[in-house]
Amino acid sequence: MNKHNIALGNPAGLGKFEHPDITAKGDERASVCMNGASTLWFNTGTLCNIECVNCYIKSSPSNDRLVYITATEIEPYLDQITERGWPTTEIAFTGGEPFMNPEMIDMTRLSLERGYSVLILTNAMLPMMRKRVREGLFELNALYRDKLTLRVSVDHFQPAFHDQERGAGSFAVTLLGMQWLRDNDFKMAVAGRTLWGNSEADSRAGFAAFFSDHDFDIDAHDPAATVLFPEMDETAEVPEITTACWDILNKSPQDVMCASSRMVVKRLGADCPTVLACTLLAYDSQFELGRTLAAAEKPVKLNHPHCAKFCVLGGASCTA
């Protein structure tokens, strides 16, 4: 037993997800050790051209809690990957909408030049379709097509459901962006949601028909090419993950996203970026690990509802 005397239960009357080491029932909380980060994420900033109903990190046209990160700021982290001997093969960018960031093309180029595969999460709407951005993407795709993937957010294969999340007419605008990517031979993936109660089989069949109708070269049955995210609600009743859960659920801590990735962000007013344990928990200070990759190698306590519902029970990961 540890110093909290777990066998005695919860004498302090803690609620769920209130203590980093013990659960509300007094059990030892599960943690995840980093097993070498295969993906290093950069949040390009939380500003977005639209505001979704259930945005994972509350991106919007006015949310600048995470400010634009720059190519100059990400370069030291690429150096640190080598210095720390991380087995990183992929640099991934999320937002906000990454193409709102004026240095998105420069950051992509820098990562590709270092030999990494690059994944960009985008809504494929107007920020991506600006002339300067399209020219930059076209140039990079000509040089690094096998290394560059754009994962487009298509919440549902039916326009009406997608527009419920992202606003009227947004599906049609995203479709135009996807058609431009298709016509210019970009590698595409799609991120959908399971918000509307479709089974996974029905969702994948629906996306397969959508891809076929528009001649998109995306495999609806490949979980890395068509990612289906469980819906996240911090107020939903979810169990806490204990050390015993791994055997009960027949899961390994190494299957959880924080075992193999970290995310770099820059907070509003900060003088430099910092490293987080997770792409989904941008505002919870207990998941802020330090300013360097060395500091970010520490274990992560699964002390948040998203850890349980999205990662452990939902089996989801932002990384392919």
Side-chain angles (χ1 to χ4, degrees):
M1 298 300 169
N2 66 18
K3 64 182 179 180
H4 302 289
N5 201 359
I6 294 165
L8 296 179
N10 182 6
L14 293 170
K16 293 173 73 171
F17 302 105
E18 288 187 4
H19 195 285
D21 297 320
I22 57 173
T23 68
K25 292 182 178 180
D27 297 316
E28 185 177 1
R29 185 177 306 285
S31 63
V32 173
C33 294
M34 198 183 80
N35 189 30
S38 57
T39 300
L40 182 61
W41 288 84
F42 291 96
N43 189 293
T44 62
T46 39
L47 287 173
C48 187
N49 56 303
I50 58 174
E51 185 170 3
C52 299
V53 174
N54 289 301
C55 179
Y56 295 153
I57 61 169
K58 302 178 177 61
S59 298
S60 75
S62 60
N63 180 9
D64 62 352
R65 290 175 69 180
L66 303 182
V67 297
Y68 290 150
I69 201 166
T70 67
T72 299
E73 288 168 331
I74 79 164
E75 190 166 17
Y77 290 99
L78 302 182
D79 293 337
Q80 290 172 48
I81 290 172
T82 302
E83 293 165 4
R84 301 299 302 170
W86 282 20
T88 304
T89 58
E90 178 182 64
I91 302 300
F93 296 95
T94 184
E97 167 51 47
F99 291 112
M100 297 274 287
N101 187 312
E103 297 196 23
M104 189 63 243
I105 297 299
D106 293 335
M107 292 188 291
T108 304
R109 179 181 293 107
L110 178 62
S111 303
L112 290 166
E113 287 175 347
R114 294 286 191 105
Y116 296 107
S117 295
V118 170
L119 174 68
I120 304 174
L121 278 53
T122 178
N123 56 37
M125 297 178 78
L126 297 181
M128 189 192 79
M129 294 298 286
R130 289 175 294 169
K131 181 180 178 182
R132 180 185 63 83
V133 174
R134 284 187 288 119
E135 289 175 348
L137 282 174
F138 188 84
E139 176 190 350
L140 291 175
N141 197 52
L143 294 171
Y144 302 102
R145 184 188 181 278
D146 291 340
K147 292 278 192 177
L148 177 61
T149 301
L150 281 81
R151 183 192 291 169
V152 181
S153 296
V154 182
D155 289 331
H156 198 276
F157 48 85
Q158 294 183 11
F161 288 124
H162 177 93
D163 287 0
Q164 280 181 11
E165 277 290 301
R166 296 178 177 261
S170 59
F171 185 93
V173 180
T174 290
L175 181 58
L176 289 174
M178 293 180 71
Q179 289 169 336
W180 180 82
L181 292 170
R182 175 202 64 197
D183 293 345
N184 288 280
D185 199 31
F186 283 83
K187 287 174 62 178
M188 273 192 291
V190 154
R193 292 193 179 194
T194 58
L195 176 61
W196 295 274
N198 298 109
S199 69
E200 180 171 349
D202 287 344
S203 292
R204 294 197 181 280
F207 274 109
F210 167 61
F211 298 154
S212 177
D213 288 345
H214 295 282
D215 197 26
F216 294 141
D217 184 17
I218 306 171
D219 186 348
H221 301 285
D222 179 354
T226 303
V227 187
L228 299 178
F229 289 130
E231 197 57 26
M232 297 190 301
D233 179 359
E234 293 188 29
T235 65
E237 183 66 23
V238 295
E240 296 181 281
I241 305 301
T242 72
T243 54
C245 287
W246 303 121
D247 288 337
I248 294 169
L249 298 170
N250 194 27
K251 289 180 176 285
S252 167
Q254 298 309 306
D255 296 334
V256 181
M257 185 166 59
C258 54
S260 60
S261 67
R262 292 290 186 263
M263 183 171 77
V264 180
V265 307
K266 188 174 184 184
R267 301 196 186 284
L268 181 65
D271 59 358
C272 66
T274 191
V275 189
L276 309 184
C278 178
T279 59
L280 305 174
L281 300 171
Y283 308 122
D284 192 328
S285 61
Q286 68 182 313
F287 295 96
E288 186 165 321
L289 303 177
R291 294 183 172 186
T292 67
L293 297 191
E297 292 171 357
K298 64 189 72 169
V300 177
K301 299 283 186 177
L302 301 185
N303 191 29
H304 194 281
H306 291 349
C307 303
K309 184 173 182 181
F310 186 87
C311 293
V312 177
L313 300 176
S317 173
C318 294
T319 303

